Amino acid sequence: MRLIINGEEHHVDVSSLEEVVSHFELEPHLVVTEVDGNIIERTNWSGTELKEGMRIELVQFVGGG
Amino acid sequence: MRLIINGEEHHVDVSSLEEVVSHFELEPHLVVTEVDGNIIERTNWSGTELKEGMRIELVQFVGGG
Amino acid sequence: MRLIINGEEHHVDVSSLEEVVSHFELEPHLVVTEVDGNIIERTNWSGTELKEGMRIELVQFVGGG
Amino acid sequence: MRLIINGEEHHVDVSSLEEVVSHFELEPHLVVTEVDGNIIERTNWSGTELKEGMRIELVQFVGGG
Amino acid sequence: MKQKKLTIAGKELSSRFFLGTGRYPNPFVQNEAIKASEAEVLTFAIRRVNLGAPNEDAILQHLEGMSFTYLPNTSGAKTAEEAIRIARLAKASGLSDWIKVEISVDEKTLLPDPIETLKATEVLAKEGFVVLPYTSDDPVLCKRLEEAGAAAVMPGGAPIGTGLGILNPYNLELIIEQANVPIIVDAGLGSAMDVAQAMELGADGVLMNTPVAKAKDPVKMARAMKYAIEAGRLSYEAGRIPKKKYATASSGFQAFVSK
Amino acid sequence: MKQKKLTIAGKELSSRFFLGTGRYPNPFVQNEAIKASEAEVLTFAIRRVNLGAPNEDAILQHLEGMSFTYLPNTSGAKTAEEAIRIARLAKASGLSDWIKVEISVDEKTLLPDPIETLKATEVLAKEGFVVLPYTSDDPVLCKRLEEAGAAAVMPGGAPIGTGLGILNPYNLELIIEQANVPIIVDAGLGSAMDVAQAMELGADGVLMNTPVAKAKDPVKMARAMKYAIEAGRLSYEAGRIPKKKYATASSGFQAFVSK
Amino acid sequence: MKQKKLTIAGKELSSRFFLGTGRYPNPFVQNEAIKASEAEVLTFAIRRVNLGAPNEDAILQHLEGMSFTYLPNTSGAKTAEEAIRIARLAKASGLSDWIKVEISVDEKTLLPDPIETLKATEVLAKEGFVVLPYTSDDPVLCKRLEEAGAAAVMPGGAPIGTGLGILNPYNLELIIEQANVPIIVDAGLGSAMDVAQAMELGADGVLMNTPVAKAKDPVKMARAMKYAIEAGRLSYEAGRIPKKKYATASSGFQAFVSK
Amino acid sequence: MKQKKLTIAGKELSSRFFLGTGRYPNPFVQNEAIKASEAEVLTFAIRRVNLGAPNEDAILQHLEGMSFTYLPNTSGAKTAEEAIRIARLAKASGLSDWIKVEISVDEKTLLPDPIETLKATEVLAKEGFVVLPYTSDDPVLCKRLEEAGAAAVMPGGAPIGTGLGILNPYNLELIIEQANVPIIVDAGLGSAMDVAQAMELGADGVLMNTPVAKAKDPVKMARAMKYAIEAGRLSYEAGRIPKKKYATASSGFQAFVSK
């Protein structure tokens, strides 16, 4: 399915947000997710079904001052 | 008539704003007036009738930085 | 005998520099002595005979920066 | 004759200091002269005879702070 | 080599010195100081007439016959609303539509409130005032004031009347670099050196009151400050030498006089 | 209110600006700058004539027709002995018996040698020179130079040509407080602000070369510095306001315009 | 004589050193520097995962096993709205409800926007965040941020990463005097001296990143800064001597050794 | 990464802190402060015994049991001759052959006399003393003192006891650059910041008395200064970031979180 992830178009074979995170092999406890502007708690990742063209943000803590 | 002029109660025998200014012997071209919060142009002083208890401000330029 | 000690005249019954030091109950290892402008080592105190009117300096370390 | 002028050897056909100054076309009133370490006043230039190997300094005011 | 004049809201000014009119020993000294300063813009405060002695504070009567650009301020205002009201009163005098927005809450520091100052500037500029806000030296705030319609921006060197000079020359330089309107250094200056510094940093002008009015000799100090502005501006235009760590001789090393 | 004039060795000077004559782009600009500065005392170095092109450096020919007090320096001297020799050569020119003692060993900093400078000052003063030693800002040394017969003492603000300004205003103030002869700040100044600062600290004059000669526009900078000296001196005489930690309003708080 | 600990939002901190986690040569040096600093609060930025190399920037994995208070920042935000969004994302990580509000429009100076910073602080404090806004050193603005619910206020000494130190110690001192919440000096410091100065002015702590991360030896510099904070704080508590114009001998003048 | 130790005249010192022993509230506080400072070199003055109360000032008796390097000074001397005499008396105590040459004529400033200080240093170094002259920050003079045989040179930051800090960091840096012997900053420092600054400029150590002895809490201040020296030295070794005019972000700009 076509998703806009971190601003770029991706075609990935996933159905839930949880699968997106594992698709990219992200450390679940280090990543924060947003779907169409709404933050999704980790506990709801599996329950969050994705639809064609949804905008997903995957963010994390990086070095900063 | 009883007027609140510059925050203090005054009993003066005047009917127009123009008479207030002359009552206190103020230089008309140096004073600016406000009646109940509305600025009154000099040209309208004579036409501005006063009523019991009105709040009048008489202000001017003073030294400042 | 009359001695000028630290700039003041003193009349003391002593014959050697050693006796001066003990007369004033000074800690021998903390005091440095000069007689008529010449420094006298501790080892020579007993052997240093004094004469009328000699100028003696008794100095020590004090707090300083 | 051989002269050391301003540290360099020169062979010039002169007999007096005055001739040295004119030889180099210097403004007499702007130059100061020294012969073998002795300053020579302008008034004495003509009277100052030179000998083989004398050390002459010709100096002037230049821009400075 | 001739100096470009300072222009605010289309008005070309013959002097870069803005002079305050408070705290002089007496009106005579004040007028002499004003003359000596050659200032063209004078600042004032707006206050209630003292009905007991109406003419006592009526400063303008002393200035009659001379021609100036009047810059009334909103001192005493603690909010944008109060400042706006004072501005309108000042304008109603018919003497000037210029206004120095000055809004302070803290009477100990008299430092300007950034939020209220920005609000008042926005409103008054829209109403057609020529607005010169007195502000902190926060470069972002100064930019915001320009965008809000300020005709010139007036960052303080230090709190009013302290004479501490330019506490943060770095910020002032940044403000000047970024500005598209004149920058007038207002408040806190104390000496001719402070004034020269402000002008050499590229300020377009300087507004002073206390350092002149409270000097032992206000008239002479007014003249001093006039020259300091001239000196600083000329130096800014003439282009100073760069600072270097090590020395450079004024004359060559060659041709030394030595055996 | 009129200014007392600076007097050195009995000579009353109309200007407190001492100007150097090195490093200008060309003789024309130099002369224009000298005129703009209104300086009365000019400094020079003494060098060997370049016999190949004798008139090339002959600076004096450019100044003919104008009248100045000439202050030759002993730059290039590394010892008192060398400085004394150069001083005598300078005097033999018949142009001046004033001499700026300048003795530096380190070509990187050109800082004056305190011991040799004191020696040379002593000898030359005894010989009847009007001695103005260039010195560090060591207050004890400056006092010693005065006692040795210096007609004026010239502490540096910073190393020659650096433009770093007055590195130690505290010392300069101390030197001025203690002095019984004029104090001329020599070397290291870069800006009009530096000059105003020196004069406000109470200096009797300023000697500059590089900041004028190497400015982008030397003539305009000469004018800037002239005004800065004027400004600083007037401010010093007018008596600046004290510095305060907290603010003081320019108008009373009473009679505010507010509901 | 024991030091009172710094407490923010009820959390007692064992160290007054807040350390940033950006720009270190590598994760090993970073961890060594963090250990050497003994900092308890670490700052972070929030960025999109690089899907190409997801673990590359995942700084937290390097810190596992150690326990810190995480202070994510909103860097990259140009408006209050963007900052609020980043803050919520940071909180959703479950790692911390502390947030450093950092909103800059100008990428050249990275100076904080006073208006947007105040807005974001207000909203986030109401939402229950522990808000530490990075702000200019405008004393009025700092007071406003406190009133808006900031748990601590973090004025910058100079622009981020410049190492210029505390450009305006006067303002910082004023901010500290007026504050009822901790004042943490954030940004612009470069040296141990700067840190000691901040702490001697009474700051409650210091936040640094570049000066440690970009030092030639970051681990040693982390230790240096730790000691500088300790030194400045102890000196502040110990009560320094007043500054005097003239000297005072360390020993009496009486009883000199002299004939 | 371990620090090189300071070595003077072949003696390796475990601390870079030289502490004075004058002006403490009482001997107990003094000893606690000395312990807290971890100083290894202590300075003293030489005075006549008060024959009325001989033990009153006998400071050494309070220090028995601890081991230090004693650095007596020649304070009170107005000439080289007097200083040399005091030095010889100090040496005759058998406690130390180290001597701090301190020669001041002016009791208001207590500034060192450059000429007499140089003379005394020369003579005493020849006699085999380990000479540490207290001097002004004149870089040429400091070099001369080194050439005269000083084991370390001790320029003052400001006059004794003023707490004004390092009045001329530029000179101090120059002195350190040029030195082949240790440079100890002596006199005038007041705060931990001043100490950190001295050490970051590359000073090899710091000598203090009044700032510790007259602090409200001398023991705590001694600890503060110890840490400040440590902080400054570590920072000097760690290599600080360069100062820049404009900002640098702690995190990349790419990958911002924004739609």
Side-chain angles (χ1 to χ4, degrees):
Chain A
M1 143 166 72
R2 191 180 56 80
L3 297 168
I4 311 301
I5 306 180
N6 288 357
E8 291 166 355
E9 188 166 290
H10 288 260
H11 293 270
V12 282
D13 176 13
V14 296
S15 59
S16 77
L17 188 52
E18 186 167 41
E19 290 169 33
V20 173
V21 172
S22 50
H23 171 85
F24 289 105
E25 295 170 342
L26 308 184
E27 294 279 358
H29 66 290
L30 294 182
V31 69
V32 181
T33 63
E34 202 185 55
V35 176
D36 289 346
N38 304 313
I39 293 169
I40 311 295
E41 301 292 334
R42 280 192 195 84
T43 50
N44 303 332
W45 285 356
S46 52
T48 305
E49 287 176 24
L50 302 177
K51 292 185 191 55
E52 193 69 9
M54 273 185 162
R55 304 188 65 85
I56 298 177
E57 290 285 335
L58 303 170
V59 309
Q60 65 183 351
F61 280 39
V62 303
Chain B
M1 132 169 78
R2 190 179 59 81
L3 297 168
I4 311 301
I5 306 179
N6 287 356
E8 290 166 355
E9 189 166 291
H10 288 261
H11 293 268
V12 282
D13 175 11
V14 296
S15 58
S16 77
L17 188 51
E18 185 166 43
E19 289 170 36
V20 174
V21 171
S22 52
H23 170 85
F24 288 105
E25 297 168 342
L26 309 182
E27 294 281 355
H29 66 290
L30 294 183
V31 69
V32 181
T33 63
E34 203 183 55
V35 176
D36 289 347
N38 306 314
I39 294 169
I40 310 295
E41 302 293 334
R42 281 191 195 88
T43 50
N44 303 332
W45 285 357
S46 52
T48 305
E49 285 176 23
L50 301 178
K51 294 186 190 51
E52 193 70 9
M54 274 184 160
R55 306 188 64 85
I56 298 176
E57 291 285 337
L58 302 171
V59 308
Q60 65 183 351
F61 280 38
V62 302
Chain C
M1 135 169 76
R2 189 179 57 80
L3 296 168
I4 312 301
I5 305 178
N6 288 356
E8 291 166 354
E9 189 166 290
H10 288 261
H11 294 270
V12 281
D13 175 12
V14 296
S15 59
S16 76
L17 190 51
E18 185 166 42
E19 289 169 37
V20 173
V21 172
S22 52
H23 170 86
F24 289 106
E25 298 169 341
L26 308 183
E27 295 280 358
H29 66 291
L30 294 183
V31 69
V32 182
T33 63
E34 203 183 55
V35 176
D36 289 347
N38 305 314
I39 294 169
I40 310 296
E41 301 293 332
R42 279 191 197 86
T43 51
N44 303 331
W45 284 357
S46 51
T48 306
E49 286 175 25
L50 301 178
K51 293 184 190 52
E52 192 70 10
M54 274 187 161
R55 306 188 63 83
I56 298 176
E57 290 285 334
L58 302 171
V59 309
Q60 65 183 350
F61 281 38
V62 304
Chain D
M1 139 168 74
R2 191 179 56 81
L3 297 168
I4 311 301
I5 306 177
N6 288 356
E8 291 166 354
E9 189 165 291
H10 287 262
H11 295 269
V12 281
D13 174 13
V14 297
S15 57
S16 76
L17 189 52
E18 186 167 41
E19 288 169 36
V20 172
V21 172
S22 50
H23 171 84
F24 288 105
E25 297 170 338
L26 309 182
E27 293 281 356
H29 65 291
L30 295 183
V31 69
V32 182
T33 63
E34 203 185 53
V35 176
D36 288 347
N38 304 314
I39 293 168
I40 311 295
E41 301 292 333
R42 279 192 196 84
T43 52
N44 302 331
W45 285 356
S46 51
T48 305
E49 286 175 25
L50 304 176
K51 292 185 191 52
E52 193 67 11
M54 275 184 161
R55 305 188 64 85
I56 299 175
E57 289 285 335
L58 303 171
V59 309
Q60 64 183 351
F61 280 39
V62 302
Chain E
M1 225 154 81
K2 128 163 207 349
Q3 288 177 257
K4 220 173 86 291
K5 282 197 176 159
L6 167 60
T7 302
I8 294 179
K11 183 170 180 54
E12 193 180 71
L13 297 167
S14 57
S15 161
R16 294 174 178 278
F17 195 176
F18 291 25
L19 187 58
T21 58
R23 315 188 67 206
Y24 290 83
N26 61 59
F28 173 77
V29 168
Q30 169 168 320
N31 284 2
E32 288 308 304
I34 290 170
K35 280 182 206 139
S37 75
E38 293 178 18
E40 187 176 342
V41 177
L42 299 184
T43 60
F44 300 88
I46 305 296
R47 295 285 187 272
R48 283 169 166 170
V49 176
N50 171 354
L51 297 174
N55 298 332
E56 184 186 79
D57 300 327
I59 187 159
L60 294 183
Q61 73 199 4
H62 304 301
L63 300 175
E64 279 163 5
M66 312 190 229
S67 108
F68 299 100
T69 296
Y70 293 145
L71 177 56
N73 66 42
T74 65
S75 63
K78 289 177 158 15
T79 63
E81 191 198 3
E82 288 174 24
I84 291 163
R85 173 167 172 243
I86 294 170
R88 289 169 179 160
L89 284 165
K91 193 176 186 182
S93 71
L95 293 165
S96 175
D97 59 356
W98 288 33
I99 189 74
K100 170 181 170 180
V101 170
E102 180 179 344
I103 306 174
S104 324
V105 174
D106 181 350
E107 290 194 2
K108 197 169 84 181
T109 66
L110 293 175
L111 290 171
D113 183 301
I115 314 298
E116 298 299 310
T117 300
L118 182 58
K119 266 192 225 152
T121 298
E122 216 151 7
V123 171
L124 292 169
K126 282 210 185 63
E127 281 188 25
F129 282 84
V130 175
V131 186
L132 294 81
Y134 163 55
T135 169
S136 78
D137 65 1
D138 180 325
V140 180
L141 182 61
C142 288
K143 198 64 192 164
R144 287 273 207 141
L145 288 165
E146 176 187 319
E147 291 159 0
V153 175
M154 306 205 296
I160 295 170
T162 56
L164 293 172
I166 299 171
L167 292 173
N168 191 340
Y170 174 92
N171 271 15
L172 183 54
E173 194 172 12
L174 217 56
I175 290 163
I176 290 165
E177 276 178 25
Q178 303 177 346
N180 301 314
V181 294
I183 300 299
I184 311 298
V185 176
D186 182 4
L189 305 187
S191 69
M193 164 188 158
D194 301 336
V195 170
Q197 180 181 25
M199 298 306 292
E200 284 186 303
L201 287 171
D204 297 283
V206 161
L207 166 42
M208 289 187 130
N209 187 342
T210 306
V212 172
K214 298 305 252 184
K216 288 205 179 49
D217 182 338
V219 181
K220 186 176 269 195
M221 190 58 89
R223 210 157 75 246
M225 296 308 185
K226 176 189 70 184
Y227 285 129
I229 289 172
E230 189 69 4
R233 183 65 189 182
L234 283 167
S235 166
Y236 173 71
E237 293 178 2
R240 67 156 287 159
I241 55 171
K243 295 186 178 190
K244 305 167 46 243
K245 177 160 185 199
Y246 295 115
T248 318
S250 306
S251 330
F253 290 116
Q254 73 298 353
F256 274 149
V257 180
S258 47
K259 303 189 181 74
Chain F
M1 223 155 81
K2 123 163 213 346
Q3 289 177 254
K4 217 172 88 295
K5 283 200 176 157
L6 168 59
T7 302
I8 294 180
K11 181 168 183 54
E12 194 181 70
L13 297 167
S14 56
S15 161
R16 295 174 178 277
F17 194 177
F18 292 25
L19 188 59
T21 58
R23 315 188 68 205
Y24 290 83
N26 61 58
F28 173 77
V29 168
Q30 170 169 318
N31 285 2
E32 289 307 304
I34 290 169
K35 282 181 206 139
S37 74
E38 291 177 19
E40 186 177 343
V41 177
L42 299 184
T43 59
F44 301 88
I46 306 295
R47 294 286 186 273
R48 283 171 165 171
V49 177
N50 171 355
L51 297 175
N55 300 331
E56 183 185 79
D57 300 328
I59 187 158
L60 293 183
Q61 71 198 7
H62 305 302
L63 300 176
E64 278 164 3
M66 314 187 228
S67 105
F68 301 100
T69 296
Y70 293 144
L71 177 56
N73 67 41
T74 65
S75 62
K78 290 178 158 13
T79 64
E81 192 198 0
E82 287 174 21
I84 290 163
R85 174 167 172 243
I86 295 171
R88 290 170 180 159
L89 284 166
K91 193 176 185 181
S93 71
L95 293 165
S96 176
D97 59 356
W98 288 34
I99 189 73
K100 170 182 169 179
V101 170
E102 180 179 344
I103 306 174
S104 323
V105 173
D106 180 350
E107 290 194 1
K108 196 168 85 180
T109 66
L110 293 175
L111 290 170
D113 183 301
I115 314 299
E116 299 298 310
T117 299
L118 182 58
K119 266 192 227 154
T121 298
E122 217 149 7
V123 172
L124 292 170
K126 282 210 186 64
E127 281 188 25
F129 282 84
V130 175
V131 186
L132 293 82
Y134 162 55
T135 169
S136 79
D137 66 0
D138 181 323
V140 180
L141 181 62
C142 288
K143 198 64 191 165
R144 288 275 206 138
L145 288 164
E146 175 185 321
E147 292 159 1
V153 175
M154 308 205 293
I160 294 170
T162 57
L164 293 173
I166 299 171
L167 292 173
N168 191 339
Y170 174 93
N171 272 15
L172 182 55
E173 193 171 15
L174 217 57
I175 289 164
I176 291 165
E177 276 178 28
Q178 302 177 345
N180 300 314
V181 294
I183 299 299
I184 311 296
V185 177
D186 182 3
L189 305 186
S191 69
M193 163 188 160
D194 300 335
V195 170
Q197 180 181 24
M199 298 306 293
E200 284 185 303
L201 286 170
D204 297 283
V206 162
L207 166 43
M208 288 186 131
N209 187 342
T210 306
V212 172
K214 298 305 251 184
K216 288 206 180 48
D217 181 338
V219 180
K220 186 176 271 194
M221 190 57 89
R223 213 157 73 245
M225 296 308 184
K226 177 189 70 183
Y227 285 129
I229 289 172
E230 189 70 6
R233 183 65 188 184
L234 283 166
S235 167
Y236 173 71
E237 293 178 3
R240 66 157 286 159
I241 55 171
K243 294 186 179 191
K244 303 165 51 241
K245 178 161 184 198
Y246 295 116
T248 320
S250 306
S251 332
F253 291 116
Q254 73 298 348
F256 274 149
V257 180
S258 47
K259 303 186 183 78
Chain G
M1 225 157 79
K2 138 165 201 340
Q3 288 176 254
K4 220 173 86 293
K5 282 201 178 155
L6 167 59
T7 302
I8 294 180
K11 181 169 183 53
E12 195 180 69
L13 298 167
S14 56
S15 162
R16 293 172 179 279
F17 195 177
F18 291 24
L19 187 58
T21 57
R23 314 188 68 206
Y24 290 84
N26 61 57
F28 173 77
V29 168
Q30 169 167 318
N31 284 4
E32 288 309 303
I34 290 170
K35 280 181 207 141
S37 74
E38 292 178 19
E40 185 176 344
V41 178
L42 299 184
T43 59
F44 301 87
I46 304 295
R47 294 288 186 271
R48 282 170 166 171
V49 177
N50 172 354
L51 297 174
N55 299 332
E56 181 186 82
D57 300 328
I59 187 159
L60 293 183
Q61 71 199 6
H62 305 302
L63 300 176
E64 278 162 6
M66 312 188 231
S67 106
F68 299 101
T69 296
Y70 293 145
L71 176 58
N73 68 41
T74 65
S75 63
K78 290 178 159 9
T79 64
E81 190 198 4
E82 287 174 21
I84 291 164
R85 172 167 173 245
I86 295 170
R88 290 172 180 158
L89 283 165
K91 193 175 185 182
S93 70
L95 293 164
S96 176
D97 59 356
W98 288 35
I99 190 74
K100 171 182 170 180
V101 170
E102 180 178 346
I103 305 174
S104 322
V105 174
D106 181 350
E107 288 193 3
K108 197 169 84 181
T109 65
L110 292 175
L111 290 170
D113 184 300
I115 315 299
E116 299 299 310
T117 300
L118 182 57
K119 266 192 227 155
T121 299
E122 217 151 7
V123 171
L124 292 170
K126 283 210 184 61
E127 281 188 25
F129 281 84
V130 174
V131 186
L132 293 81
Y134 162 56
T135 169
S136 78
D137 65 1
D138 181 325
V140 180
L141 182 62
C142 288
K143 198 65 192 163
R144 288 276 207 136
L145 287 164
E146 175 185 321
E147 292 158 0
V153 175
M154 308 205 294
I160 294 171
T162 57
L164 292 172
I166 298 171
L167 292 173
N168 191 339
Y170 175 93
N171 272 15
L172 183 55
E173 193 172 15
L174 218 56
I175 290 164
I176 291 165
E177 276 178 26
Q178 301 177 345
N180 301 314
V181 294
I183 300 299
I184 311 297
V185 177
D186 181 4
L189 305 186
S191 67
M193 163 189 160
D194 301 335
V195 169
Q197 180 181 26
M199 298 306 292
E200 283 184 305
L201 286 170
D204 298 282
V206 162
L207 167 43
M208 289 186 130
N209 187 342
T210 306
V212 172
K214 298 304 252 184
K216 287 205 180 49
D217 182 338
V219 180
K220 186 176 270 194
M221 189 59 87
R223 211 157 76 246
M225 297 308 184
K226 176 191 70 183
Y227 285 129
I229 288 173
E230 190 70 5
R233 183 64 188 184
L234 282 166
S235 167
Y236 173 71
E237 293 177 4
R240 66 157 285 159
I241 55 170
K243 294 186 179 190
K244 304 166 48 246
K245 177 159 184 199
Y246 295 115
T248 320
S250 307
S251 333
F253 290 115
Q254 75 296 352
F256 274 148
V257 179
S258 47
K259 303 191 182 75
Chain H
M1 222 153 84
K2 134 164 203 343
Q3 287 177 255
K4 220 174 84 295
K5 281 198 178 159
L6 168 60
T7 302
I8 295 180
K11 183 171 181 53
E12 194 180 70
L13 298 166
S14 57
S15 160
R16 294 173 179 276
F17 195 177
F18 292 24
L19 187 59
T21 58
R23 314 189 68 207
Y24 292 82
N26 61 58
F28 173 76
V29 168
Q30 170 169 319
N31 285 2
E32 288 309 303
I34 290 170
K35 281 182 206 138
S37 75
E38 292 177 18
E40 184 176 345
V41 177
L42 299 184
T43 60
F44 301 88
I46 305 296
R47 294 287 186 271
R48 283 169 165 171
V49 177
N50 172 354
L51 297 174
N55 300 332
E56 182 186 80
D57 301 327
I59 187 158
L60 293 183
Q61 72 197 4
H62 305 301
L63 300 176
E64 279 162 5
M66 312 189 231
S67 109
F68 300 101
T69 296
Y70 293 144
L71 177 57
N73 67 41
T74 65
S75 62
K78 290 178 156 17
T79 64
E81 190 198 2
E82 287 174 23
I84 291 163
R85 175 170 171 241
I86 295 171
R88 290 170 179 158
L89 284 165
K91 194 175 183 181
S93 70
L95 293 164
S96 177
D97 58 357
W98 289 33
I99 190 73
K100 170 181 170 181
V101 170
E102 179 179 346
I103 305 174
S104 324
V105 174
D106 181 349
E107 289 194 1
K108 197 168 84 181
T109 66
L110 293 176
L111 290 171
D113 183 300
I115 315 298
E116 299 299 310
T117 300
L118 182 58
K119 266 192 227 154
T121 299
E122 217 149 6
V123 171
L124 292 170
K126 282 209 185 61
E127 281 188 24
F129 282 83
V130 175
V131 186
L132 294 80
Y134 161 55
T135 170
S136 77
D137 65 1
D138 181 323
V140 180
L141 182 62
C142 289
K143 197 66 192 163
R144 287 273 207 143
L145 288 164
E146 175 185 320
E147 291 158 2
V153 174
M154 308 205 293
I160 295 170
T162 56
L164 293 172
I166 298 171
L167 292 174
N168 191 340
Y170 174 92
N171 272 15
L172 183 55
E173 193 172 13
L174 217 55
I175 290 164
I176 291 165
E177 275 178 24
Q178 303 177 345
N180 301 314
V181 295
I183 300 299
I184 311 297
V185 177
D186 181 4
L189 305 187
S191 68
M193 164 187 158
D194 301 336
V195 170
Q197 180 181 24
M199 298 306 293
E200 283 185 304
L201 286 170
D204 298 283
V206 162
L207 165 43
M208 290 186 128
N209 186 341
T210 305
V212 172
K214 298 304 251 185
K216 290 206 178 49
D217 182 338
V219 181
K220 186 177 270 194
M221 190 58 88
R223 212 158 73 245
M225 296 309 184
K226 177 190 70 183
Y227 285 128
I229 289 172
E230 188 71 4
R233 182 66 188 181
L234 283 167
S235 167
Y236 173 71
E237 294 178 2
R240 65 157 286 159
I241 54 170
K243 294 187 179 191
K244 304 165 49 244
K245 178 160 185 198
Y246 296 114
T248 318
S250 306
S251 333
F253 291 115
Q254 74 298 353
F256 275 147
V257 179
S258 46
K259 300 191 181 79

